[in-house]
Amino acid sequence: MTAARPAQPIKVYGSSVSGHSHRVRLFLSLLGLPFETIEVDLRAGAQRTPEFLRRNTFGQVPVIEDGEVTLPDSNAILAYLNERYAPDPARWMPRDPLGAARVQRWLSVAAGQLASGPSVARVIVMFGLHREPAEAIARSHDLLRVMESELAGRPFLAGRQSTLADIANYSYVAHAPEGNVSLDAYPQVRAWLARIEALPGFVPMAPQRIGLAA
């Protein structure tokens, strides 16, 4: 099947330190789509300016502009890119009920346990927040233990091949040590990260020398 192509490079308003932004750039790269990154300075509060709020009223990155389409929310963007541009959308989001449900489960994890665990732990360190990190670190290890157990029986989160489930969860797990969350006790998780990094078109997220990664 011949995949659709954007008429012009897709604009990605995001941040190089944001795992939510990285998952979008990663999927664009895996699909081989042209895109342009517009850096949003989170430390300076650029996501709260009136100009940016017209793109996303929640004041969060990422946001894409694809021609006349403006779309916020990283998981929504993944779904949009898959349905509009993937040569075989079922490759990344299965069409059978159980396969689709398995992917959706991990998209929910990305918006839930991942966001409140590894993501928050990393934000506390990165932005020097005056906030106790122990709870976020504990939630991170709760999530990693589940991932470790489930990945012992399959190579990817939702099955035998990579899906949107893996794209949505990769970035913050890979960079969990930056939030003082060690991956040493999770060999299956580390092997899963390596499998994603071996996908054709993979692009890394810029490492930060903070936390355990300092």
Side-chain angles (χ1 to χ4, degrees):
M1 181 184 298
T2 301
R5 301 285 294 179
Q8 55 196 17
I10 295 170
K11 292 183 179 180
V12 181
Y13 293 84
S15 168
S16 60
V17 302
S18 162
H20 290 79
S21 298
H22 177 255
R23 68 179 64 150
V24 170
R25 292 191 294 107
L26 173 57
F27 194 46
L28 283 164
S29 184
L30 293 174
L31 293 179
L33 297 174
F35 66 95
E36 171 191 0
T37 300
I38 296 92
E39 185 73 13
V40 178
D41 190 343
L42 301 181
R43 288 185 172 88
Q47 73 277 21
R48 295 188 293 273
T49 63
E51 179 186 5
F52 188 85
L53 290 172
R54 284 193 290 271
R55 296 186 174 93
N56 182 3
T57 52
F58 284 111
Q60 298 170 336
V61 295
V63 178
I64 65 165
E65 289 181 355
D66 181 21
E68 296 182 354
V69 172
T70 298
L71 183 65
D73 186 88
S74 58
N75 284 353
I77 293 168
L78 294 183
Y80 168 83
L81 294 173
N82 187 54
E83 296 302 322
R84 183 159 186 179
Y85 293 117
D88 177 14
R91 159 70 180 80
W92 298 98
M93 172 56 83
R95 289 330 198 216
D96 66 286
L98 182 56
R102 285 171 173 161
V103 172
Q104 185 57 59
R105 175 193 179 213
W106 285 101
L107 294 177
S108 296
V109 169
Q113 293 95 323
L114 184 78
S116 64
S119 176
V120 167
R122 182 172 174 269
V123 165
I124 290 171
V125 177
M126 179 171 297
F127 293 99
L129 302 183
H130 297 293
R131 179 174 172 180
E132 173 55 51
E135 186 175 347
I137 292 173
R139 284 195 298 264
S140 300
H141 286 292
D142 288 343
L143 171 60
L144 289 167
R145 281 189 288 270
V146 172
M147 285 184 158
E148 181 73 9
S149 174
E150 298 205 11
L151 287 166
R154 57 182 181 272
F156 294 99
L157 290 175
R160 303 301 302 174
Q161 68 175 2
S162 55
T163 64
L164 294 183
D166 304 286
I167 306 306
N169 283 276
Y170 167 82
S171 307
Y172 285 120
V173 174
H175 290 259
E178 295 171 5
N180 289 313
V181 177
S182 175
L183 300 178
D184 289 351
Y186 309 106
Q188 299 292 346
V189 171
R190 298 198 307 274
W192 165 71
L193 295 173
R195 285 190 284 272
I196 298 172
E197 291 160 5
L199 294 173
F202 173 83
V203 290
M205 185 166 109
Q208 306 297 308
R209 296 190 177 280
I210 56 176
L212 298 177

